[in-house]
Coordinates of all heavy atoms in Angstrom, one line a residue:
M22 N 18.9 -26.9 2.6 CA 18.0 -26.9 3.8 C 16.9 -25.9 3.5 O 17.1 -24.8 3.0 CB 18.8 -26.4 5.0 CG 18.0 -26.4 6.3 SD 19.1 -26.0 7.7 CE 18.8 -24.3 7.9
K23 N 15.6 -26.3 3.8 CA 14.5 -25.4 3.5 C 14.3 -24.5 4.7 O 14.3 -24.9 5.9 CB 13.2 -26.3 3.4 CG 12.0 -25.5 3.0 CD 10.8 -26.5 2.8 CE 9.5 -25.8 2.4 NZ 9.4 -24.4 2.7
T24 N 14.1 -23.2 4.4 CA 13.9 -22.3 5.5 C 12.4 -22.2 5.8 O 11.6 -22.5 4.9 CB 14.4 -20.9 5.1 OG1 13.7 -20.5 3.9 CG2 15.9 -20.8 5.0
K25 N 12.0 -21.9 7.0 CA 10.6 -21.9 7.4 C 10.0 -20.6 6.9 O 10.5 -19.6 6.9 CB 10.6 -21.9 9.0 CG 9.2 -22.1 9.6 CD 9.4 -22.5 11.1 CE 8.1 -23.0 11.6 NZ 7.2 -22.0 12.1
N26 N 8.7 -20.8 6.4 CA 8.0 -19.7 5.9 C 7.6 -18.8 7.1 O 7.4 -19.3 8.2 CB 6.7 -20.1 5.2 CG 7.0 -20.9 4.0 OD1 8.1 -20.8 3.4 ND2 6.0 -21.7 3.5
K27 N 7.6 -17.5 6.8 CA 7.3 -16.6 7.9 C 6.2 -15.6 7.5 O 5.9 -15.5 6.3 CB 8.6 -15.9 8.4 CG 9.3 -15.1 7.3 CD 10.6 -14.6 7.8 CE 11.4 -13.7 6.8 NZ 11.6 -14.3 5.5
T28 N 5.8 -14.7 8.4 CA 4.9 -13.7 8.1 C 5.7 -12.4 8.1 O 6.5 -12.1 9.0 CB 3.8 -13.6 9.2 OG1 3.0 -14.8 9.2 CG2 2.9 -12.4 9.0
V29 N 5.5 -11.6 7.0 CA 6.2 -10.4 6.8 C 5.1 -9.3 6.8 O 4.1 -9.3 6.1 CB 6.9 -10.4 5.5 CG1 7.7 -9.0 5.3 CG2 7.9 -11.5 5.4
A30 N 5.3 -8.3 7.7 CA 4.3 -7.2 7.8 C 4.8 -5.8 7.4 O 5.9 -5.5 7.8 CB 3.7 -7.2 9.2
Y31 N 3.9 -5.1 6.8 CA 4.3 -3.7 6.4 C 3.1 -2.8 6.6 O 1.9 -3.2 6.5 CB 4.6 -3.6 4.9 CG 5.9 -4.2 4.4 CD1 5.9 -5.5 4.0 CD2 7.1 -3.5 4.5 CE1 7.1 -6.1 3.6 CE2 8.3 -4.0 4.1 CZ 8.3 -5.3 3.6 OH 9.5 -5.9 3.2
D32 N 3.4 -1.6 6.9 CA 2.4 -0.5 7.0 C 2.5 0.4 5.7 O 3.7 0.8 5.4 CB 2.5 0.4 8.2 CG 2.0 -0.2 9.5 OD1 1.3 -1.3 9.4 OD2 2.2 0.4 10.5
L33 N 1.5 0.6 5.0 CA 1.5 1.6 3.9 C 0.5 2.7 4.3 O -0.7 2.4 4.5 CB 1.0 0.9 2.6 CG 2.0 -0.1 2.0 CD1 1.4 -0.6 0.7 CD2 3.4 0.5 1.8
R34 N 1.0 3.9 4.4 CA 0.2 5.1 4.7 C -0.1 5.9 3.4 O 0.9 6.4 2.9 CB 0.8 6.0 5.8 CG 0.0 7.2 6.1 CD 0.7 8.0 7.2 NE 0.9 7.2 8.4 CZ 0.0 7.0 9.4 NH1 -1.2 7.5 9.3 NH2 0.3 6.2 10.4
A35 N -1.3 5.8 3.0 CA -1.7 6.6 1.8 C -1.9 8.0 2.2 O -2.7 8.3 3.1 CB -2.9 6.0 1.1
S36 N -1.3 9.0 1.6 CA -1.4 10.4 1.9 C -1.0 11.3 0.8 O -0.4 10.9 -0.2 CB -0.6 10.7 3.2 OG 0.8 10.7 2.9
S37 N -1.3 12.6 1.0 CA -0.9 13.6 0.1 C 0.3 14.3 0.7 O 0.4 14.5 1.9 CB -2.1 14.6 -0.1 OG -1.7 15.7 -0.9
F38 N 1.3 14.6 -0.2 CA 2.5 15.2 0.3 C 3.2 16.0 -0.8 O 2.9 15.8 -2.0 CB 3.5 14.1 0.9 CG 3.8 13.0 -0.1 CD1 4.8 13.1 -1.0 CD2 2.9 11.9 -0.2 CE1 5.1 12.1 -1.9 CE2 3.2 10.9 -1.1 CZ 4.2 10.9 -1.9
N39 N 4.2 16.8 -0.4 CA 4.9 17.5 -1.4 C 6.0 16.7 -1.9 O 6.8 16.0 -1.2 CB 5.6 18.8 -0.7 CG 4.6 19.8 -0.3 OD1 3.6 20.0 -0.9 ND2 4.8 20.4 0.9
W40 N 6.1 16.6 -3.3 CA 7.1 15.8 -4.0 C 7.9 16.7 -4.9 O 7.3 17.3 -5.8 CB 6.3 14.7 -4.8 CG 7.2 13.8 -5.6 CD1 8.4 13.4 -5.3 CD2 6.8 13.1 -6.8 NE1 8.9 12.5 -6.2 CE2 7.9 12.3 -7.1 CE3 5.6 13.1 -7.6 CZ2 7.9 11.5 -8.3 CZ3 5.6 12.3 -8.7 CH2 6.7 11.5 -9.0
E41 N 9.2 16.7 -4.7 CA 10.1 17.5 -5.5 C 10.4 16.7 -6.8 O 11.1 15.7 -6.7 CB 11.4 17.9 -4.8 CG 12.2 18.8 -5.6 CD 13.4 19.3 -4.8 OE1 13.9 18.6 -3.9 OE2 13.8 20.5 -5.1
I42 N 9.8 17.1 -7.9 CA 10.0 16.3 -9.1 C 11.2 16.8 -9.9 O 11.6 16.1 -10.9 CB 8.7 16.4 -10.0 CG1 8.3 17.8 -10.3 CG2 7.5 15.7 -9.3 CD1 7.2 17.9 -11.4
A43 N 11.7 17.9 -9.6 CA 12.9 18.5 -10.2 C 13.4 19.5 -9.2 O 12.7 20.0 -8.4 CB 12.6 19.1 -11.6
P44 N 14.7 19.8 -9.3 CA 15.2 20.8 -8.4 C 14.4 22.1 -8.4 O 14.2 22.7 -9.5 CB 16.7 21.1 -8.9 CG 17.0 19.8 -9.6 CD 15.7 19.3 -10.2
G45 N 13.9 22.5 -7.3 CA 13.1 23.7 -7.2 C 11.6 23.6 -7.6 O 10.9 24.6 -7.6
K46 N 11.2 22.4 -8.1 CA 9.9 22.2 -8.6 C 9.2 21.2 -7.8 O 9.5 20.0 -7.8 CB 9.9 21.8 -10.1 CG 8.5 21.4 -10.6 CD 7.6 22.6 -10.8 CE 6.3 22.1 -11.5 NZ 5.3 23.2 -11.6
T47 N 8.2 21.6 -6.9 CA 7.5 20.7 -6.0 C 6.0 20.7 -6.4 O 5.4 21.7 -6.6 CB 7.7 21.1 -4.6 OG1 9.1 21.1 -4.3 CG2 7.0 20.2 -3.6
I48 N 5.5 19.5 -6.4 CA 4.0 19.4 -6.6 C 3.4 18.6 -5.5 O 4.1 18.0 -4.7 CB 3.7 18.6 -8.0 CG1 4.2 17.2 -7.9 CG2 4.3 19.4 -9.1 CD1 3.8 16.3 -9.0
Q49 N 2.1 18.6 -5.4 CA 1.3 17.9 -4.4 C 1.1 16.5 -5.0 O 0.6 16.4 -6.1 CB 0.0 18.6 -4.1 CG -0.7 18.1 -2.9 CD 0.0 18.5 -1.6 OE1 0.8 19.4 -1.6 NE2 -0.3 17.8 -0.5
A50 N 1.5 15.4 -4.3 CA 1.4 14.1 -4.9 C 0.6 13.2 -3.9 O 0.5 13.5 -2.7 CB 2.8 13.5 -5.1
W51 N 0.1 12.1 -4.4 CA -0.5 11.1 -3.5 C 0.4 9.9 -3.7 O 0.8 9.5 -4.8 CB -1.9 10.7 -4.0 CG -3.0 11.7 -3.7 CD1 -2.8 13.0 -3.4 CD2 -4.4 11.5 -3.7 NE1 -4.0 13.6 -3.2 CE2 -5.0 12.7 -3.4 CE3 -5.2 10.4 -4.0 CZ2 -6.4 12.8 -3.3 CZ3 -6.5 10.5 -3.9 CH2 -7.2 11.7 -3.5
G52 N 0.6 9.2 -2.6 CA 1.5 8.0 -2.6 C 1.5 7.3 -1.3 O 0.7 7.7 -0.4
F53 N 2.3 6.3 -1.2 CA 2.4 5.6 0.1 C 3.7 5.9 0.8 O 4.8 6.0 0.2 CB 2.5 4.1 -0.2 CG 1.2 3.6 -0.8 CD1 1.1 3.1 -2.1 CD2 0.0 3.6 -0.1 CE1 -0.1 2.6 -2.7 CE2 -1.2 3.1 -0.6 CZ -1.2 2.6 -1.9
N54 N 3.6 6.2 2.1 CA 4.8 6.5 2.9 C 5.6 7.6 2.4 O 6.8 7.6 2.4 CB 5.6 5.2 3.1 CG 4.9 4.1 3.8 OD1 3.7 4.2 4.0 ND2 5.6 3.0 4.1
N55 N 4.9 8.7 1.9 CA 5.5 9.9 1.4 C 6.5 9.7 0.4 O 7.5 10.4 0.3 CB 6.1 10.7 2.6 CG 5.1 11.3 3.5 OD1 3.9 11.4 3.2 ND2 5.5 11.6 4.7
Q56 N 6.3 8.7 -0.5 CA 7.2 8.5 -1.6 C 6.5 8.0 -2.9 O 5.5 7.4 -2.8 CB 8.4 7.6 -1.2 CG 7.9 6.2 -0.9 CD 9.1 5.3 -0.4 OE1 9.5 5.4 0.8 NE2 9.7 4.5 -1.3
V57 N 7.1 8.4 -4.0 CA 6.6 8.0 -5.3 C 7.8 7.4 -6.1 O 8.8 8.2 -6.3 CB 6.0 9.1 -6.1 CG1 5.6 8.7 -7.5 CG2 4.8 9.7 -5.4
P58 N 7.8 6.2 -6.6 CA 6.8 5.2 -6.2 C 6.9 4.8 -4.7 O 7.8 5.2 -4.0 CB 7.2 4.0 -7.1 CG 8.6 4.1 -7.3 CD 8.9 5.6 -7.4
G59 N 5.9 4.0 -4.3 CA 5.9 3.6 -2.9 C 7.1 2.7 -2.6 O 7.9 2.3 -3.4
P60 N 7.2 2.3 -1.3 CA 8.3 1.4 -0.9 C 8.2 0.0 -1.5 O 7.1 -0.5 -1.8 CB 8.2 1.4 0.6 CG 6.7 1.6 0.9 CD 6.3 2.5 -0.2
V61 N 9.3 -0.6 -1.7 CA 9.4 -2.0 -2.1 C 9.0 -2.9 -0.9 O 9.5 -2.7 0.2 CB 10.8 -2.4 -2.6 CG1 10.9 -3.9 -2.9 CG2 11.2 -1.6 -3.8
L62 N 8.1 -3.9 -1.1 CA 7.8 -4.8 -0.1 C 8.5 -6.1 -0.4 O 8.3 -6.7 -1.4 CB 6.2 -5.0 -0.1 CG 5.4 -3.8 0.0 CD1 3.9 -4.2 0.0 CD2 5.7 -2.9 1.1
R63 N 9.3 -6.6 0.5 CA 10.1 -7.8 0.3 C 9.6 -8.9 1.2 O 9.5 -8.8 2.4 CB 11.6 -7.5 0.6 CG 12.2 -6.5 -0.4 CD 13.7 -6.5 -0.3 NE 14.3 -5.4 -1.1 CZ 14.5 -5.5 -2.4 NH1 14.2 -6.6 -3.0 NH2 15.0 -4.5 -3.1
A64 N 9.5 -10.1 0.5 CA 9.2 -11.3 1.2 C 9.7 -12.5 0.4 O 10.0 -12.3 -0.8 CB 7.7 -11.5 1.5
N65 N 9.8 -13.6 0.9 CA 10.2 -14.8 0.2 C 9.0 -15.6 -0.3 O 8.0 -15.6 0.4 CB 11.2 -15.7 1.0 CG 12.5 -15.0 1.3 OD1 13.1 -14.5 0.4 ND2 12.8 -14.9 2.6
A66 N 9.2 -16.4 -1.3 CA 8.1 -17.3 -1.8 C 7.7 -18.1 -0.6 O 8.5 -18.7 0.1 CB 8.6 -18.1 -3.0
G67 N 6.4 -18.2 -0.4 CA 5.8 -19.1 0.7 C 5.5 -18.3 1.9 O 4.8 -18.7 2.8
D68 N 6.1 -17.1 2.1 CA 5.8 -16.2 3.2 C 4.4 -15.7 3.1 O 3.8 -15.6 2.0 CB 6.7 -15.0 3.3 CG 8.2 -15.4 3.7 OD1 8.4 -16.5 4.1 OD2 9.0 -14.5 3.6
T69 N 3.8 -15.3 4.2 CA 2.5 -14.6 4.3 C 2.8 -13.1 4.4 O 3.6 -12.7 5.3 CB 1.7 -15.1 5.5 OG1 1.4 -16.5 5.3 CG2 0.4 -14.3 5.6
L70 N 2.3 -12.4 3.5 CA 2.5 -10.9 3.5 C 1.3 -10.3 4.1 O 0.2 -10.4 3.6 CB 2.7 -10.4 2.0 CG 3.0 -9.0 1.8 CD1 4.3 -8.5 2.5 CD2 3.1 -8.7 0.3
V71 N 1.5 -9.5 5.1 CA 0.4 -8.7 5.8 C 0.7 -7.2 5.5 O 1.7 -6.7 6.0 CB 0.3 -9.0 7.3 CG1 -0.8 -8.2 7.9 CG2 0.1 -10.5 7.5
V72 N -0.2 -6.6 4.8 CA -0.1 -5.2 4.5 C -1.2 -4.4 5.2 O -2.4 -4.7 4.9 CB 0.0 -4.9 3.0 CG1 0.1 -3.4 2.8 CG2 1.2 -5.6 2.4
R73 N -0.9 -3.5 6.1 CA -1.9 -2.7 6.7 C -2.0 -1.3 6.0 O -1.0 -0.6 5.9 CB -1.5 -2.5 8.2 CG -2.6 -1.9 9.0 CD -2.3 -2.0 10.5 NE -1.2 -1.1 10.8 CZ -1.4 -0.1 11.8 NH1 -2.4 -0.1 12.5 NH2 -0.4 0.7 12.0
L74 N -3.1 -1.0 5.4 CA -3.3 0.3 4.7 C -3.9 1.3 5.6 O -5.1 1.1 6.1 CB -4.1 0.0 3.4 CG -4.6 1.3 2.6 CD1 -3.4 2.1 2.2 CD2 -5.4 0.9 1.4
I75 N -3.2 2.4 5.8 CA -3.8 3.5 6.6 C -4.2 4.6 5.6 O -3.3 5.1 4.9 CB -2.7 4.0 7.6 CG1 -2.3 2.9 8.5 CG2 -3.2 5.2 8.4 CD1 -0.8 2.6 8.5
N76 N -5.4 4.9 5.6 CA -5.9 5.9 4.6 C -5.9 7.3 5.2 O -6.9 7.7 5.8 CB -7.2 5.5 4.0 CG -7.6 6.5 2.9 OD1 -6.8 7.3 2.5 ND2 -8.8 6.3 2.4
D77 N -4.9 8.1 4.9 CA -4.8 9.5 5.3 C -5.2 10.4 4.2 O -4.9 11.6 4.2 CB -3.4 9.8 5.9 CG -3.3 9.4 7.3 OD1 -4.3 9.1 8.0 OD2 -2.1 9.4 7.8
L78 N -5.7 9.9 3.1 CA -6.2 10.7 2.0 C -7.5 11.3 2.3 O -8.2 10.9 3.3 CB -6.3 9.8 0.7 CG -5.1 9.2 0.1 CD1 -5.4 8.2 -0.9 CD2 -4.2 10.3 -0.4
S79 N -8.0 12.2 1.5 CA -9.3 12.9 1.6 C -10.4 12.1 0.9 O -11.5 12.5 1.0 CB -9.2 14.3 1.1 OG -8.8 14.3 -0.3
E80 N -10.0 11.0 0.2 CA -11.0 10.2 -0.5 C -10.8 8.7 -0.1 O -9.7 8.3 0.3 CB -10.8 10.3 -2.0 CG -11.1 11.7 -2.5 CD -11.1 11.9 -4.0 OE1 -11.3 10.8 -4.7 OE2 -10.9 13.0 -4.5
A81 N -11.8 7.9 -0.4 CA -11.7 6.4 -0.2 C -10.7 5.9 -1.2 O -10.5 6.4 -2.3 CB -13.0 5.8 -0.4
T82 N -10.0 4.8 -0.8 CA -9.1 4.1 -1.7 C -9.0 2.6 -1.4 O -9.6 2.1 -0.4 CB -7.7 4.8 -1.5 OG1 -6.8 4.3 -2.6 CG2 -7.0 4.4 -0.2
T83 N -8.3 1.9 -2.2 CA -8.0 0.5 -2.0 C -6.6 0.2 -2.6 O -6.0 1.1 -3.2 CB -9.0 -0.5 -2.7 OG1 -9.0 -0.2 -4.1 CG2 -10.4 -0.3 -2.1
I84 N -6.1 -0.9 -2.3 CA -4.9 -1.4 -3.0 C -5.2 -2.6 -3.9 O -5.8 -3.5 -3.4 CB -3.7 -1.8 -2.1 CG1 -3.3 -0.6 -1.2 CG2 -2.5 -2.3 -2.9 CD1 -2.2 -0.9 -0.2
H85 N -4.9 -2.5 -5.2 CA -5.2 -3.6 -6.1 C -3.8 -4.2 -6.4 O -2.9 -3.5 -6.7 CB -5.9 -3.1 -7.4 CG -6.1 -4.1 -8.4 ND1 -6.9 -5.2 -8.1 CD2 -5.7 -4.2 -9.7 CE1 -6.9 -6.0 -9.2 NE2 -6.2 -5.4 -10.2
W86 N -3.7 -5.5 -6.3 CA -2.5 -6.2 -6.5 C -2.4 -7.0 -7.8 O -3.4 -7.6 -8.2 CB -2.3 -7.2 -5.3 CG -2.4 -6.6 -4.0 CD1 -3.5 -6.4 -3.2 CD2 -1.3 -6.0 -3.2 NE1 -3.2 -5.8 -2.1 CE2 -1.9 -5.6 -2.0 CE3 0.0 -5.9 -3.4 CZ2 -1.1 -5.0 -1.0 CZ3 0.8 -5.3 -2.4 CH2 0.2 -4.9 -1.3
H87 N -1.3 -7.1 -8.4 CA -1.0 -8.0 -9.5 C 0.2 -8.9 -9.2 O 1.1 -8.4 -8.6 CB -0.7 -7.2 -10.8 CG -1.9 -6.6 -11.4 ND1 -1.9 -6.0 -12.7 CD2 -3.2 -6.5 -11.0 CE1 -3.1 -5.6 -13.0 NE2 -3.9 -5.8 -12.0
G88 N 0.2 -10.1 -9.6 CA 1.3 -11.0 -9.6 C 1.5 -11.8 -8.3 O 2.5 -12.5 -8.2
I89 N 0.6 -11.7 -7.4 CA 0.6 -12.5 -6.2 C -0.7 -13.2 -6.0 O -1.8 -12.7 -6.4 CB 1.0 -11.7 -4.9 CG1 0.1 -10.6 -4.6 CG2 2.4 -11.1 -5.1 CD1 0.3 -9.9 -3.3
A90 N -0.7 -14.3 -5.3 CA -1.9 -15.0 -5.0 C -2.5 -14.5 -3.7 O -1.7 -14.4 -2.7 CB -1.6 -16.5 -4.8
L91 N -3.7 -14.1 -3.7 CA -4.3 -13.5 -2.5 C -5.8 -13.7 -2.5 O -6.4 -13.9 -3.6 CB -4.0 -12.0 -2.3 CG -4.7 -11.0 -3.2 CD1 -4.5 -9.6 -2.6 CD2 -4.3 -11.0 -4.6
P92 N -6.5 -13.6 -1.4 CA -8.0 -13.7 -1.4 C -8.6 -12.6 -2.1 O -8.1 -11.4 -2.1 CB -8.3 -13.6 0.1 CG -7.0 -13.9 0.9 CD -5.9 -13.4 0.0
A93 N -9.7 -12.9 -2.8 CA -10.4 -11.8 -3.6 C -10.8 -10.7 -2.7 O -10.8 -9.5 -3.1 CB -11.6 -12.4 -4.3
S94 N -11.1 -11.0 -1.5 CA -11.6 -9.9 -0.6 C -10.5 -8.9 -0.2 O -10.8 -7.9 0.4 CB -12.2 -10.6 0.7 OG -11.2 -11.3 1.4
M95 N -9.3 -9.2 -0.6 CA -8.1 -8.3 -0.3 C -7.6 -7.7 -1.6 O -6.5 -7.0 -1.5 CB -7.0 -9.1 0.4 CG -7.4 -9.8 1.6 SD -7.5 -8.7 3.0 CE -8.3 -9.7 4.2
D96 N -8.3 -7.9 -2.7 CA -7.7 -7.5 -4.0 C -8.1 -6.1 -4.5 O -7.7 -5.7 -5.6 CB -8.1 -8.5 -5.1 CG -7.1 -8.4 -6.3 OD1 -6.0 -8.0 -6.1 OD2 -7.6 -8.7 -7.4
G97 N -8.8 -5.3 -3.7 CA -8.9 -3.9 -3.9 C -9.7 -3.5 -5.1 O -9.5 -2.4 -5.6
T98 N -10.6 -4.3 -5.6 CA -11.5 -3.8 -6.6 C -12.9 -3.6 -6.1 O -13.2 -4.2 -5.1 CB -11.6 -4.8 -7.8 OG1 -12.3 -6.0 -7.4 CG2 -10.2 -5.2 -8.3
D99 N -13.6 -2.7 -6.7 CA -15.0 -2.4 -6.2 C -15.9 -3.7 -6.2 O -16.8 -3.8 -5.4 CB -15.6 -1.4 -7.1 CG -15.0 0.0 -6.9 OD1 -14.3 0.2 -5.9 OD2 -15.3 0.9 -7.7
A100 N -15.5 -4.7 -7.0 CA -16.4 -5.9 -7.1 C -16.2 -6.8 -5.9 O -17.0 -7.6 -5.6 CB -16.0 -6.7 -8.4
T101 N -15.0 -6.7 -5.2 CA -14.7 -7.6 -4.2 C -14.5 -7.0 -2.8 O -14.4 -7.7 -1.8 CB -13.5 -8.4 -4.5 OG1 -12.3 -7.5 -4.6 CG2 -13.7 -9.2 -5.8
Q102 N -14.3 -5.7 -2.7 CA -13.9 -5.1 -1.5 C -14.5 -3.7 -1.3 O -14.5 -2.9 -2.2 CB -12.3 -4.9 -1.4 CG -11.8 -4.4 -0.1 CD -10.3 -4.2 -0.2 OE1 -9.6 -4.8 -1.0 NE2 -9.8 -3.3 0.6
R103 N -15.0 -3.4 -0.1 CA -15.5 -2.1 0.2 C -14.3 -1.1 0.3 O -13.3 -1.4 0.8 CB -16.2 -2.1 1.6 CG -16.8 -0.8 2.0 CD -17.5 -0.9 3.4 NE -16.6 -1.2 4.5 CZ -15.8 -0.3 5.1 NH1 -15.7 0.9 4.6 NH2 -15.0 -0.7 6.0
P104 N -14.5 0.1 -0.4 CA -13.4 1.1 -0.3 C -13.0 1.4 1.1 O -13.9 1.4 2.0 CB -14.0 2.3 -1.1 CG -15.0 1.7 -1.9 CD -15.6 0.5 -1.2
I105 N -11.8 1.7 1.4 CA -11.3 2.1 2.7 C -11.5 3.6 2.8 O -10.8 4.4 2.1 CB -9.8 1.7 2.9 CG1 -9.7 0.2 2.7 CG2 -9.3 2.1 4.2 CD1 -8.4 -0.3 2.2
E106 N -12.3 4.1 3.7 CA -12.7 5.5 3.8 C -11.5 6.3 4.4 O -10.7 5.7 5.1 CB -13.9 5.6 4.6 CG -15.2 5.0 4.0 CD -15.6 5.6 2.7 OE1 -15.4 6.8 2.5 OE2 -16.1 4.9 1.8
P107 N -11.5 7.6 4.2 CA -10.5 8.5 4.9 C -10.5 8.2 6.4 O -11.5 8.1 7.0 CB -11.0 9.9 4.5 CG -11.7 9.7 3.3 CD -12.4 8.4 3.4
G108 N -9.3 8.0 6.9 CA -9.1 7.8 8.4 C -9.2 6.3 8.8 O -8.9 6.0 9.9
E109 N -9.7 5.5 7.8 CA -9.8 4.0 8.2 C -8.5 3.3 7.9 O -7.6 3.8 7.2 CB -10.9 3.4 7.3 CG -12.3 3.6 7.7 CD -13.3 2.8 6.9 OE1 -13.0 2.3 5.8 OE2 -14.4 2.6 7.5
V110 N -8.4 2.2 8.6 CA -7.2 1.3 8.5 C -7.8 -0.1 8.0 O -8.8 -0.6 8.6 CB -6.5 1.1 9.8 CG1 -5.3 0.1 9.7 CG2 -5.9 2.5 10.2
F111 N -7.1 -0.7 7.1 CA -7.6 -2.0 6.6 C -6.4 -3.0 6.5 O -5.3 -2.6 6.0 CB -8.2 -1.9 5.2 CG -8.7 -3.2 4.6 CD1 -9.9 -3.8 5.0 CD2 -7.9 -3.9 3.7 CE1 -10.3 -5.0 4.5 CE2 -8.3 -5.1 3.1 CZ -9.5 -5.6 3.5
Ligands
CU6 CU1 -5.8 -5.6 -12.1

């Protein structure tokens, strides 16, 4: 039986945070949702993945994707997408 494709949505908050890289050793890191690496995004083949990027960094950023089919305007390169400024949501 074929399951119906669905829309799967995630929020990724880009920010700077304290990351304990070894016991007693903490550094300032940039990442998504206060973790390095960022969270795993799970969807099934055929689903539509909607990712909302909240930029809480002090600099503009984008997300560049590999391995999935997506519109060029969502692919996070300077050639195809305007950078997401600090405080913006895309
Ligand atoms: Cu690439």
Side-chain angles (χ1 to χ4, degrees):
M22 183 172 98
K23 183 176 182 343
T24 56
K25 192 165 192 271
N26 295 341
K27 59 187 185 305
T28 297
V29 180
Y31 288 96
D32 281 352
L33 292 180
R34 179 177 302 277
S36 68
S37 177
F38 55 90
N39 292 323
W40 180 29
E41 187 174 28
I42 59 172
K46 173 71 174 172
T47 299
I48 64 169
Q49 196 69 19
W51 285 18
F53 295 114
N54 299 6
N55 290 343
Q56 62 185 83
V57 177
V61 173
L62 309 181
R63 293 190 187 280
N65 293 308
D68 288 349
T69 298
L70 181 62
V71 177
V72 178
R73 194 169 71 123
L74 171 58
I75 302 124
N76 185 6
D77 278 346
L78 294 168
S79 58
E80 296 185 24
T82 191
T83 59
I84 298 177
H85 179 60
W86 305 90
H87 282 191
I89 59 174
L91 77 165
S94 61
M95 303 284 166
D96 199 30
T98 70
D99 288 346
T101 63
Q102 183 186 334
R103 181 180 64 78
I105 302 154
E106 297 296 328
E109 282 188 337
V110 176
F111 178 80

